[in-house]
Amino acid sequence: GLRVLEALAASGLRSVRFAREVPGLGAIVASDCSPRATELMERNMARNGVGDLVTPRLADARMLMYQSKAQREPFDVIDLDPYGSPAPFLDAAVQAISEGGLLCVTCTDMAVMAGNSAETCYSKYGAVSLKGKFCHEMALRIVLHSLDLRANCYQRFVVPLLSVSADFYVRVFVRVFTGQAKVKASASKQALVFHCVGCGSHHLQRLGRATSHGSSFKYSPATGPPVGATCEFCQQRHQVGGPVWAEPLHDPTFVEGVLAALERSPGRFATEPRMRGMLSVIAEELSDVPLYYTLDGLSSTIRSNTPSLLQLRSALLHAGFRVSLSHACRNAVKTDAPPAVLWDIMRCWAKLHPVKLERLPDSSPAARILSVKPTLQASFALHEDANPSSRRRGLKRFPENPEAFWGPKARAKPGGGITPSLQEKRERLQNKRRQRPDGAGLKQFPCKRFKE
């Protein structure tokens, strides 16, 4: 009996799949503001025999959701998958969803949320993005912050079930509830991010603080900041980003339930190996540790060769800290160890694999970090828990792109197709290290090398 809304349906493919593959649905509304798309939807519904369940609508998605709110006919599931940013639709979506309903949101404007346009990210999502190694997970947390912020305006709040960063997009699945008392805790779920531009160390500063007093809570402003004006490790400046969602990205019970459903019906989905691999990595993630470091980021900072994943994980486990992978990055390391411990481990690694300090400027982050003696004696011997279960089982966690120039296409035009200039630009900018077009990569002003 669930009511489902695909707010930006285009050809209606996802609505057809809802009708044919999900049992127990009461009604599906497939909406689009294009008359041509609505005609295609009607033909596709009739061709697939789901016309009695799916209703195509020619309407603006925001007006449709606002009307459902005004008529007190909320949707139990709302799926938002626009081309680019879903920001214009979030306010209507958090109002039109039923109590405890499922809201599915996709964002494909990753350049904005990964730090290329911090001011644009703030105008869309109310948060400043940072260009760091952790940008893909930060994008997820920016979307969740934006959803919770808009829901708070109507005494509602979100509870994440699953948050996925894959390929060129992020997708979050949240439930929306109403409760004035719970909304008061939202400030303590958001945090600012202090990111060092030199060594990449990051610290989080919560916006609020919730203190329990028996069965009640007291909410007060947080104290801070957690860092000084410059980084204590490399003396470089800090950048401030956020606010971002600082609570867990996933519901472990829900993730385990989806994995169990995959086990009960093997072969049902063509992408089952990838789904099982990604969900297994998500189940292993440390839920209470926001953001992550990367192997290449840590080693490039001190100008050393890169330790293996097992060696760094073993060193952290021997030091008494927890560590996990991240589904958002192949070589990510999520750990509850403070940055001081991480740099002590990297100093110990530099002793085993010496770095040529004479080639480093005295003011460089590498020279300043390595000039300090480590207080922790790290052990890189293999720890029994260093190799995660998903890695031991050889699950398909990070698949390669299926073909060249694979990724988001250009925005659709009224007449259809892609202009030749866009296609040429895509081929010129992608795989630029492998393909060198004749003369295209050379300088366009006279110099000795250009003349040759």
Side-chain angles (χ1 to χ4, degrees):
L2 296 179
R3 296 186 71 236
V4 180
L5 170 64
E6 188 186 359
L8 305 152
S11 62
L13 171 62
R14 187 168 294 173
S15 295
V16 171
R17 293 197 61 190
F18 281 153
R20 294 181 63 90
E21 299 179 21
V22 182
L25 297 182
I28 303 171
V29 178
S31 169
D32 202 285
C33 64
S34 167
R36 174 63 174 159
T38 308
E39 295 175 6
L40 287 174
M41 279 191 282
E42 292 175 350
R43 289 166 49 189
N44 290 335
M45 303 313 164
R47 178 175 297 178
N48 287 274
V50 294
D52 57 335
L53 189 59
V54 183
T55 305
R57 291 283 298 273
L58 175 62
D60 182 276
R62 291 164 293 187
M63 295 306 300
L64 180 62
M65 290 186 282
Y66 283 133
Q67 288 172 2
S68 70
K69 164 69 175 177
Q71 298 170 1
R72 297 186 179 181
E73 295 179 351
F75 293 96
D76 301 301
V77 180
I78 295 179
D79 194 320
L80 293 176
D81 190 356
Y83 185 97
S85 173
F89 310 98
L90 297 184
D91 182 79
V94 296
Q95 297 184 67
I97 197 75
S98 62
E99 180 67 15
L102 179 65
L103 181 57
C104 317
V105 180
T106 304
C107 306
T108 57
D109 55 337
M110 286 300 297
V112 172
M113 293 189 291
N116 285 358
S117 301
E119 65 283 353
T120 305
C121 184
Y122 181 81
S123 66
K124 291 182 177 181
Y125 301 101
V128 175
S129 58
L130 295 176
K131 188 179 292 186
K133 297 292 185 180
F134 49 71
C135 61
H136 290 93
E137 182 178 326
M138 188 172 183
L140 286 170
R141 297 185 178 277
I142 287 175
V143 176
L144 291 175
H145 159 75
S146 183
L147 281 170
D148 195 55
L149 184 65
R150 285 168 166 81
N152 291 165
C153 298
Y154 309 102
Q155 301 301 312
R156 311 193 84 180
F157 61 96
V158 302
V159 176
L161 294 180
L162 181 65
S163 307
V164 178
S165 173
D167 300 331
F168 51 85
Y169 64 90
V170 295
R171 184 163 172 84
V172 298
F173 302 84
V174 302
R175 297 185 70 185
V176 183
F177 296 92
T178 306
Q180 185 176 8
K182 293 289 184 69
V183 169
K184 293 181 179 179
S186 290
S188 60
K189 299 177 183 178
Q190 320 297 327
L192 295 174
V193 180
F194 290 82
H195 176 242
C196 174
V197 299
C199 64
S201 302
H202 55 260
H203 305 264
L204 266 69
Q205 168 66 63
R206 299 269 182 161
L207 294 184
R209 182 174 57 181
T211 309
S212 62
H213 295 275
S215 59
S216 61
F217 287 87
K218 179 182 178 181
Y219 303 102
S220 58
T223 57
V227 293
T230 58
C231 176
E232 60 177 308
F233 307 108
C234 66
Q235 284 76 57
Q236 300 288 327
R237 68 186 188 278
H238 283 107
Q239 288 181 333
V240 183
V244 299
W245 178 265
E247 293 296 299
L249 295 174
H250 323 285
D251 181 355
T253 305
F254 177 79
V255 176
E256 293 295 339
V258 178
L259 278 171
L262 287 175
E263 296 293 337
R264 288 194 300 268
S265 54
R268 180 182 178 188
F269 304 104
T271 56
E272 180 182 340
R274 184 181 185 185
M275 293 167 64
R276 182 181 288 109
M278 179 168 286
L279 289 171
S280 298
V281 176
I282 287 174
E284 296 169 351
E285 282 187 19
L286 295 177
S287 60
D288 57 340
V289 178
L291 306 183
Y292 54 78
Y293 294 90
T294 60
L295 286 172
D296 56 336
L298 292 171
S299 57
S300 64
T301 299
I302 64 170
R303 299 295 188 266
S304 72
N305 60 350
T306 306
S308 69
L309 179 65
L310 296 183
Q311 287 174 321
L312 184 58
R313 285 174 59 95
S314 298
L316 288 166
L317 291 171
H318 285 306
F321 297 97
R322 295 177 299 148
V323 62
S324 75
L325 300 176
S326 173
H327 79 281
C329 182
R330 181 188 296 271
N331 57 350
V333 176
K334 290 177 73 82
T335 178
D336 58 348
V341 173
L342 277 172
W343 293 124
D344 270 354
I345 291 176
M346 296 308 296
R347 292 185 187 109
C348 295
W349 176 259
K351 283 187 176 182
L352 298 176
H353 303 79
V355 178
K356 295 183 179 179
L357 296 176
E358 62 274 8
R359 295 186 178 182
L360 300 176
D362 295 337
S363 59
S364 65
R368 287 173 172 170
I369 290 175
L370 295 178
S371 64
V372 179
K373 293 184 177 180
T375 58
L376 171 71
Q377 297 303 318
S379 171
F380 296 97
L382 184 63
H383 193 278
E384 58 182 359
D385 297 329
N387 201 10
S389 173
S390 60
R391 198 168 182 263
R392 289 197 305 268
R393 289 183 288 165
L395 297 179
K396 195 174 183 179
R397 302 170 300 159
F398 305 101
E400 299 292 336
N401 291 344
E403 58 185 10
F405 311 118
W406 184 83
K409 309 304 180 191
R411 187 184 294 271
K413 300 189 305 178
I418 301 177
T419 60
S421 59
L422 286 177
Q423 181 66 21
E424 292 171 1
K425 181 180 179 182
R426 185 184 302 115
E427 294 180 359
R428 185 173 70 250
L429 297 181
Q430 295 196 32
N431 286 336
K432 55 187 176 183
R433 292 185 179 180
R434 297 181 183 178
Q435 299 179 359
R436 294 281 186 179
D438 297 336
L442 300 177
K443 294 181 178 180
Q444 299 304 315
F445 55 88
C447 67
K448 182 178 179 182
R449 186 176 298 276
F450 180 76
K451 291 178 180 178
E452 292 176 356

